[in-house]
Amino acid sequence: MKVGVVVFPGSNCDRDALHAARLAGAEALSLWHEQTDLHGADALILPGGFAYGDYLRAGALARFSPIMGAVSDHAARGGLVLGICNGFQILAEAGLVPGALVRNASLRFEHRWIRLRVERRDTPFTSAVPDGMTLRMPVAHGEGCYVLPAADLRSLEERRGVLFRYDSPEGNPNGSAHDIAGVIDQAGNVCGLMPHPERASEAVLGSDDGLLLLRSLVASAAAAVAVPA
Amino acid sequence: MAEFRFCVSVMPKPGILDPQGRAVEGSLPYLGVDSVSSVRIGRRVELTVEAATESGARTIVERLADDLLANPLIEAWTAEAIV
Amino acid sequence: MAEFRFCVSVMPKPGILDPQGRAVEGSLPYLGVDSVSSVRIGRRVELTVEAATESGARTIVERLADDLLANPLIEAWTAEAIV
Amino acid sequence: MTLAESPALHPSAVLHRALGLTDHELEQVVTRLQRQPNDLELAMFSVMWSEHCSYKSSRALLRTLPTAGAGVVAGPGENAGVVSIGDGMAVAFKLESHNHPSAVEPYQGAATGVGGILRDIFTMGARPIALLDALKFGPPASVRTRHLVRGVVAGIGGYGNCVGVPTVGGELAFHDSFARNPLVNVMAVGILDERRLTRSVAPGPGNAVILFGSTTGRDGIGGASVLASATFGPEQGSKRPSVQIGDPFAEKLLIEACLEVIEAGLVEGLSDLGAAGLTCAASEMADRAGTGMLIELDDVPRREEGMAPFEVMISESQERMLAVVRPAAVPAMLGICARWGLPAAVVGRVTDDGDVTVRSAGVAIARIPAQALTSDAIEYQREARPPSHRPRAPSRGLLELTPDGFPERGMDPGAVLIELMGDANVASRAWITGRYDETVGSDTVTGGAHGAAVMRIKGTTRALVMATDSSPYVGLIDPYLGAVTAVAECVRNVAVTGARPLGVTDCLNFADPGRPEAFWQLAEAVRGLGDACRALGLPVTGGNVSLYNESVDGPIAPTTQVGVVGSIDDIAMLVGPAFTQAGDVVALLGRTVPGMGGSIYAQHAGQAPDDEPPLVDLQHELALGRMLALGAARTILHSAHDVSTGGLATCLAECAIWGGLGASVRLSVRSAPAVELFGEGPGRVVVSTARSLWPRLQGLAAESGVPVTLIGQVGGERLHIRLARAGSTGPLEDRGVSAADDVDLALADLRGAWQRGLPRALGLDP
Ligand SMILES: Nc1ncnc2c1ncn2[C@@H]1O[C@H](COP(=O)(O)OP(=O)(O)O)[C@@H](O)[C@H]1O
Ligand SMILES: [Mg+2]
């Protein structure tokens, strides 16, 4: 079971994602953004960072990287794609998940540890999360405020497309609509979230809750590999 | 081939909240300004296009604006030639 | 008193590095665009001013641009009335 | 090749003065060249002989610092100090200032400061793993300070967050003397495989010289723009931007590209381009290798049209590097740069003539012995004169003290504690640390909020512990003691975690060395730095000197910023600062020493019991450090936190707030309650441990020669400090002092004051 971590120029959590994917039991390889093939990766992670400096709009330039065609194809085939932080922004810009991520309401970069409520456990990204458990992990972003026109937001909620919500006493770190921290696409195989599960994958770092999400991803992808569609 | 300079203005769509604009409004009282309102902040992109005609250049600019410079979910753009 | 809508364009001064513009230029090949160059990215601020005359409004806008909207060390601005 | 006599560009005969060189310095230039310099050469000398590049006033002092030590792989003279940490790995670290640029343009000044210090780290072949920022500002209530704080913090975050190096610690202090001249010192730490250690040298005549990274523009030409105005007329010259803009995205690409070419063994030498740009990198690399370097000016990739030769040679455009590469490796090197999207070009070659030669259109337009620009640059022995009177501790007159040094009768020391917890110098830095990405890299065990930062090393059980400290208030009274205090405190901050300190980096922030009082301060500080490091057995592996820190308001408080990196073999043994367990005993290591000078309490009280800062006992510090390491290794300690700003009372409050556990403590008053509670005497650490381990702790203390006193117990939701007279167990009521001399506060109140303090002082949204 191979997890491919896409490296854009300016990605800076790629090494963290590789490390965490390995902790979750996967073979992990990095995929340079100029490649157009996925080197046999069964699941993809678009990691955090500042692809292209996040200049213009976060994710706006990265979505045109050559590898994005292969990412879309992989998603269209039902392959798993997880976008973390900047990866979420790129997926949103590319239209692979709904919505847009804009400047935090505070207009500041926010780094803090938050609690994440997992809205569904019947997805490939959350299957290993025990019932009722909230996950502790850091957020670190300047443009994480999730927006979607009201009607689309309603249908997103109706189809249970909101996978994660901020659930901290200090509240929502960025002003996101409906406290949305992460969403899943209609088909259920592409997920984006702003918090960083890969940075919360070892107790020595303060939490290993994030590993549950990566384990879910790895187990789901492995199951899909075992039973080819 | 000739060179044409264009400017693309990208503004948050009406109804999309603009925290930057609001922050500027919020700081106006400290500057002793009370006659300014409805501040909206967007981006201005200037670029040079090489094309045979101005309308050919405009086509390229409009494509760029649609695909890259603005996110249609939240932003609207206009483009004009700069002289 | 009347209301006037203005737009202030704030751009990096000539000679000042514009990393944003450079990054956009750098990724144009991926969009299949090779005819665009000299990309500069700045801000566009739109605001409404209440004043007796347009020139009174302009004075307020210019003061704001100087004091708040632009960083005079690295940015230059222009203001124009929007109709 | 003959040197073309380029025509004089400047109409006046005193160009050197306009460039900041004295008549004497011009004579020295002529002596070294054995002819008159042309304008380009003069420009190159002027930037290289600046204080910033030549250390002309401080070099003699810096030579007195101890630099040898076990494990030192690279010391001062390199871009960063490098110390071995075992298993073939080493740590590179350095502190650097960006004070003046930050005063002018706080965002870009701070951002480019981060970029510059990071380059010093990855130039050596190390991957940067952490940043620490040490900031000093004027009074928090002033509009200028608030503008500077916002800009500087945003700039550090804007750059560090984007390059993906976590900012995990630092320091923040406020003092009126920094109002117009803030201090922005940044420390960077990196890890390398020792075999990949790369030096800033230009060996092997015939090797190619490659400039890569960003293109070259007119950034930071600064003082030398007189040359431009001479050529183009004053209006145009004054429009020349001298503010440098940082591009963290380019820096991120540069980090990856540099580490990749080093890993691939493609470079013989590598240097970043900082102050004095190409001139500095070329001359230093050549001088260190005993070679020369030819620069083909026309081959330098540029961002702007019509740049004059001197502009290209001294441009401080950011995010650039110079590499020396074997001819056969050039294509591979250029290929890697291209893949990272970085402009790169062969701009010259290494020569064997010892000269830096600049050539354009096939003609040599400058030729200077590399030595003359660097190791043989001018040097001064400045005059040092102690000030005629020592300044008294600053007074604000908030609290009244009675002549016996006790807080005014009826004055509640708990109220003082609440006030100190909310003081901008003591309160929580969360508002700032929350702007910084503290966890990128997945190595951060402890970030900036609590004491020293701890970074684990992936794939091992080890961790690096790092801190930066200074003591400007003490420095103001006594710069020697200020430096010693800073070293002792910084080393202690690392030691309390159980780590073994490896080495010291420093940044000397002082005023105009041409004034004998200011030079005396610098000389005293360097003496203190050296004495302290020798006593503690630590090498100074590198640093930075920032002079002329003064404004119309006068000089800054002399500030010796110190950075220490330590290592801990087994991270499971790490000791944190917070109370961990109700029922644990609380003990104080070390003894309270008199002296309230330079303390926060003295600033609040207006009238301290005395103005003398407490002395530092370096032998005791050494013993204390050893004891703490043993205590951690033998798992005798549940927590350890050193007493610093705000004294023992704030230390206890922090242990309690961070642990979410109260404590009740009884202190014997030997001198005055203010000294016991709020004195900042060094050499003290509050520890907690299980009651059953107390005998072992006592034994360890005895074995280490460190005084230890049982002072209380962890538990509850309040911090209760009862003051007792020395030698008695009775409360102070015995002496007729009211019970208000006890501190008895709910943790929630202490936490609230501590959390609100900084945003409130600075008028920021919480
Ligand atoms: N205060 C100091 N203590 C020790 N070493 C210093 C000090 N100041 C400068 N140095 C050393 O002098 C050399 C030159 O410093 P600097 O000009 O800041 O280097 P760079 O330009 O690479 O940043 C470095 O090796 C630095 O470590
Ligand atoms: Mg350097």
Side-chain angles (χ1 to χ4, degrees):
Chain A
M1 159 44 214
K2 276 196 211 169
V3 170
V5 175
V6 179
V7 184
F8 298 94
S11 292
N12 63 30
C13 305
D14 46 318
R15 298 162 74 250
D16 305 9
L18 287 165
H19 181 73
R22 287 177 191 132
L23 289 176
E27 186 186 327
L29 69 157
S30 64
L31 299 170
W32 181 239
H33 78 115
E34 284 186 308
Q35 298 172 352
T36 49
D37 104 80
L38 302 179
H39 293 265
D42 303 300
L44 298 178
I45 296 178
L46 273 57
F50 287 72
Y52 293 93
D54 270 4
Y55 295 138
L56 199 62
R57 281 184 319 279
L61 296 167
R63 76 170 257 234
F64 291 103
S65 272
I67 202 167
M68 287 306 290
V71 173
S72 298
D73 292 348
H74 176 78
R77 284 195 305 270
L80 299 182
V81 182
L82 174 64
I84 301 171
C85 194
N86 195 223
F88 182 15
Q89 294 164 335
I90 296 168
L91 291 176
E93 280 283 339
L96 292 172
V97 292
L101 294 144
V102 302
R103 284 279 290 277
N104 293 347
S106 63
L107 294 176
R108 306 186 300 225
F109 185 94
E110 298 283 353
H111 177 278
R112 57 169 98 151
W113 286 80
I114 51 95
R115 281 196 171 275
L116 202 58
R117 192 160 77 233
V118 180
E119 295 288 25
R120 291 172 61 176
R121 284 163 172 81
D122 59 345
T123 77
F125 306 96
T126 52
S127 52
V129 180
D131 227 27
M133 179 178 178
T134 60
L135 309 181
R136 192 168 168 273
M137 58 184 77
V139 292
H141 58 248
E143 299 180 31
C145 174
Y146 187 82
V147 296
L148 198 60
D152 299 346
L153 193 55
R154 228 173 295 122
S155 60
L156 179 74
E157 292 282 15
E158 274 160 16
R159 72 162 173 84
R160 299 180 66 217
V162 176
L163 193 49
F164 304 108
R165 280 184 228 273
Y166 300 107
D167 186 15
S168 301
E170 322 84 73
N172 169 338
N174 50 35
S176 283
H178 296 195
D179 293 331
I180 292 173
V183 298
I184 189 163
D185 74 329
Q186 184 104 43
N189 58 318
V190 183
C191 166
L193 82 166
M194 288 312 295
H196 284 279
E198 81 286 14
R199 300 187 191 178
S201 52
E202 287 167 272
V204 70
L205 302 179
S207 164
D208 56 5
D209 294 355
L211 200 56
L212 294 168
L213 301 185
L214 294 157
R215 284 220 185 100
S216 305
L217 174 86
V218 170
S220 310
V225 172
V227 190
Chain B
M1 286 304 222
E3 293 203 329
F4 302 92
R5 187 113 180 122
F6 274 82
C7 129
V8 180
S9 301
V10 181
M11 298 300 292
K13 276 189 179 167
I16 292 286
L17 78 183
D18 172 19
Q20 262 187 294
R22 233 181 7 203
V24 166
E25 274 177 39
S27 65
L28 293 175
Y30 300 106
L31 282 129
V33 174
D34 59 359
S35 50
V36 169
S37 60
S38 310
V39 181
R40 304 284 283 173
I41 301 191
R43 255 189 313 279
R44 178 186 165 95
V45 182
E46 293 184 4
L47 42 82
T48 298
V49 191
E50 202 178 285
T53 62
E54 186 178 319
S55 83
R58 178 174 288 276
T59 310
I60 295 174
V61 170
E62 292 181 344
R63 209 198 104 205
L64 260 191
D66 265 335
D67 287 356
L68 177 66
L69 303 178
N71 180 342
L73 203 56
I74 48 174
E75 295 166 331
W77 59 266
T78 55
E80 53 182 325
I82 321 183
V83 277
Chain C
M1 286 303 225
E3 292 204 332
F4 302 91
R5 186 108 181 131
F6 273 82
C7 131
V8 180
S9 301
V10 181
M11 298 298 292
K13 278 189 181 169
I16 287 281
L17 177 72
D18 174 19
Q20 286 212 68
R22 204 162 56 162
V24 168
E25 254 179 79
S27 71
L28 291 177
Y30 298 130
L31 281 102
V33 173
D34 59 0
S35 51
V36 168
S37 60
S38 308
V39 181
R40 305 281 286 174
I41 301 187
R43 273 190 307 284
R44 177 185 165 97
V45 183
E46 294 183 3
L47 41 80
T48 298
V49 193
E50 202 179 284
T53 63
E54 187 180 315
S55 83
R58 175 173 289 276
T59 310
I60 295 173
V61 171
E62 292 182 344
R63 213 196 102 207
L64 266 191
D66 266 335
D67 291 354
L68 180 65
L69 304 178
N71 177 347
L73 282 174
I74 51 180
E75 295 169 329
W77 58 265
T78 55
E80 54 182 324
I82 323 182
V83 276
Chain D
M1 206 165 26
T2 59
L3 181 72
E5 279 296 326
S6 58
L9 294 172
H10 203 271
S12 97
V14 290
L15 174 61
H16 65 278
R17 285 191 206 152
L19 288 171
L21 292 171
T22 63
D23 293 353
H24 167 69
E25 287 171 338
L26 177 62
E27 278 168 32
Q28 293 291 309
V29 166
V30 172
T31 308
R32 285 172 180 64
L33 283 181
Q34 298 186 306
R35 62 176 165 80
Q36 287 291 326
N38 65 32
D39 288 2
L40 171 58
E41 290 167 337
L42 203 54
M44 290 165 70
F45 272 106
S46 78
V47 288
M48 288 304 294
W49 284 19
S50 68
E51 195 66 59
H52 193 72
C53 290
S54 70
Y55 291 89
K56 57 191 169 189
S57 302
S58 58
R59 237 184 316 159
L61 297 175
L62 295 181
R63 277 196 282 267
T64 67
L65 293 174
T67 57
V72 175
V73 181
E78 282 293 341
N79 280 302
V82 178
V83 181
S84 175
I85 50 175
D87 291 343
M89 281 183 301
V91 57
F93 57 103
K94 189 172 171 211
L95 256 169
E96 198 161 78
S97 65
H98 231 212
N99 304 336
H100 295 127
S102 302
V104 176
E105 209 317 281
Y107 184 99
Q108 293 297 343
T112 51
V114 172
I117 187 62
L118 285 174
R119 286 193 290 283
D120 277 338
I121 299 301
F122 65 79
T123 285
M124 311 284 306
R127 178 172 286 279
I129 58 153
L131 288 163
L132 297 93
D133 63 325
L135 311 178
K136 313 281 184 294
F137 296 103
S142 96
V143 174
R144 180 191 302 273
T145 296
R146 293 173 174 192
H147 166 73
L148 290 170
V149 170
R150 270 176 213 274
V152 165
V153 169
I156 289 172
Y159 205 99
N161 299 344
C162 184
V163 292
V165 179
T167 301
V168 295
E171 203 195 22
L172 174 68
F174 298 89
H175 185 266
D176 292 358
S177 70
F178 301 118
R180 284 170 199 275
N181 192 132
L183 300 187
V184 177
N185 291 185
V186 183
M187 174 169 164
V189 181
I191 292 184
L192 67 153
D193 176 339
E194 264 182 58
R195 287 167 308 176
R196 297 284 171 244
L197 179 73
T198 305
R199 294 184 192 266
S200 170
V201 287
N207 280 338
V209 174
I210 293 181
L211 178 64
F212 66 109
S214 292
T215 46
T216 299
R218 289 192 172 97
D219 313 60
I221 304 278
S225 56
V226 292
L227 275 169
S229 50
T231 326
F232 302 108
E235 321 76 45
Q236 207 168 344
S238 64
K239 279 198 209 117
R240 288 286 147 77
S242 73
V243 174
Q244 304 156 36
I245 307 289
D247 181 356
F249 171 54
E251 177 103 337
K252 170 66 179 165
L253 303 179
L254 201 54
I255 295 177
E256 300 304 331
C258 285
L259 295 178
E260 192 173 329
V261 298
I262 289 171
E263 180 66 34
L266 296 179
V267 298
E268 309 303 306
L270 188 63
S271 179
D272 61 310
L273 272 69
L278 197 47
T279 301
C280 181
S283 54
E284 287 188 355
M285 291 176 87
D287 187 25
R288 287 194 191 111
T291 57
M293 193 180 286
L294 170 70
I295 300 290
E296 294 285 2
L297 205 64
D298 307 333
D299 296 338
V300 173
R302 301 170 195 203
R303 204 168 70 221
E304 292 178 70
E305 312 256 302
M307 289 180 70
F310 85 89
E311 289 178 312
V312 178
M313 283 309 294
I314 69 173
S315 158
E316 296 186 356
S317 285
Q318 300 286 301
E319 292 96 20
R320 296 181 302 158
M321 308 287 284
L322 200 64
V324 168
V325 176
R326 274 172 288 111
V330 168
M333 170 84 193
L334 295 178
I336 289 175
C337 291
R339 197 158 61 76
W340 287 103
L342 296 170
V346 176
V347 299
R349 62 180 157 80
V350 180
T351 61
D352 60 4
D353 58 8
D355 290 340
V356 171
T357 304
V358 182
R359 200 156 68 172
S360 175
V363 180
I365 55 173
R367 181 179 302 135
I368 306 174
Q371 271 184 358
L373 291 170
T374 62
S375 55
D376 190 28
I378 193 152
E379 196 174 317
Y380 289 110
Q381 187 55 61
R382 305 274 191 194
E383 184 195 344
R385 190 189 318 127
S388 48
H389 66 282
R390 286 174 143 213
R392 291 179 60 80
S395 309
R396 287 219 207 113
L398 291 185
L399 266 187
E400 294 256 306
L401 291 186
T402 49
D404 62 358
F406 285 67
E408 189 181 20
R409 303 212 187 275
M411 172 65 65
D412 179 355
V416 178
L417 177 56
I418 288 279
E419 186 172 321
L420 294 192
M421 291 305 287
D423 183 283
N425 290 289
V426 177
S428 165
R429 271 78 183 102
W431 191 92
I432 287 176
T433 55
R435 309 284 78 74
Y436 301 153
D437 192 339
E438 196 172 89
T439 50
V440 60
S442 294
D443 290 327
T444 308
V445 176
T446 311
H450 308 161
V454 181
M455 307 298 294
R456 65 91 180 258
I457 303 176
K458 276 196 195 77
T460 73
T461 60
R462 296 157 187 271
L464 292 175
V465 180
M466 52 202 76
T468 179
D469 287 288
S470 66
S471 197
Y473 310 132
V474 174
L476 202 57
I477 304 170
D478 180 344
Y480 174 89
L481 192 57
V484 172
T485 302
V487 173
E489 180 178 352
C490 198
V491 168
R492 204 183 317 120
N493 271 324
V494 167
V496 290
T497 65
R500 181 172 48 91
L502 298 169
V504 171
T505 178
D506 68 288
C507 188
L508 299 163
N509 303 272
F510 287 81
D512 178 356
R515 283 191 301 104
E517 285 82 6
F519 188 71
W520 174 82
Q521 292 177 329
L522 175 66
E524 282 293 287
V526 175
R527 192 169 68 85
L529 178 64
D531 283 355
C533 289
R534 269 185 295 270
L536 298 177
L538 291 172
V540 177
T541 61
N544 175 245
V545 180
S546 172
L547 302 179
Y548 303 99
N549 287 289
E550 45 185 75
S551 67
V552 290
D553 301 340
I556 61 157
T559 304
T560 306
Q561 191 71 39
V562 172
V564 171
V565 175
S567 88
I568 187 159
D569 290 334
D570 183 355
I571 199 164
M573 304 286 136
L574 184 74
V575 177
F579 290 147
T580 60
Q581 188 71 53
D584 277 1
V585 294
V586 180
L588 179 66
L589 308 181
R591 260 197 206 98
T592 303
V593 290
M596 294 298 278
S599 67
I600 291 294
Y601 179 85
Q603 290 186 21
H604 281 259
Q607 197 187 10
D610 62 62
D611 282 346
E612 294 294 328
L615 294 174
V616 182
D617 177 346
L618 290 164
Q619 285 318 306
H620 166 70
E621 297 285 351
L622 193 61
L624 184 64
R626 293 204 178 117
M627 169 178 175
L628 288 162
L630 284 174
R634 297 181 191 168
T635 61
I636 296 176
L637 301 174
H638 286 180
S639 76
H641 184 35
D642 75 309
V643 176
S644 63
T645 319
L648 180 57
T650 63
C651 176
L652 288 164
E654 287 170 350
C655 296
I657 293 170
W658 298 342
L661 287 166
S664 73
V665 166
R666 171 178 289 250
L667 294 181
S668 296
V669 177
R670 282 168 223 276
S671 46
V675 175
E676 296 292 344
L677 289 172
F678 307 117
E680 297 177 9
R684 289 176 298 162
V685 174
V686 169
V687 298
S688 69
T689 191
R691 191 164 287 280
S692 60
L693 290 172
W694 166 240
R696 290 188 62 198
L697 180 61
Q698 269 182 305
L700 175 62
E703 166 193 337
S704 309
V706 171
V708 60
T709 318
L710 186 67
I711 59 170
Q713 163 168 327
V714 177
E717 311 242 296
R718 303 181 74 78
L719 177 63
H720 185 198
I721 307 174
R722 167 154 286 222
L723 299 173
R725 244 187 314 173
S728 86
T729 48
L732 281 176
E733 286 97 308
D734 297 358
R735 306 184 36 175
V737 176
S738 82
D741 282 319
D742 280 9
V743 172
D744 186 12
L745 292 165
L747 269 195
D749 294 334
L750 284 165
R751 185 184 294 115
W754 181 71
Q755 285 175 338
R756 282 189 302 271
L758 193 62
R760 180 178 283 172
L762 286 166
L764 299 161
D765 308 335

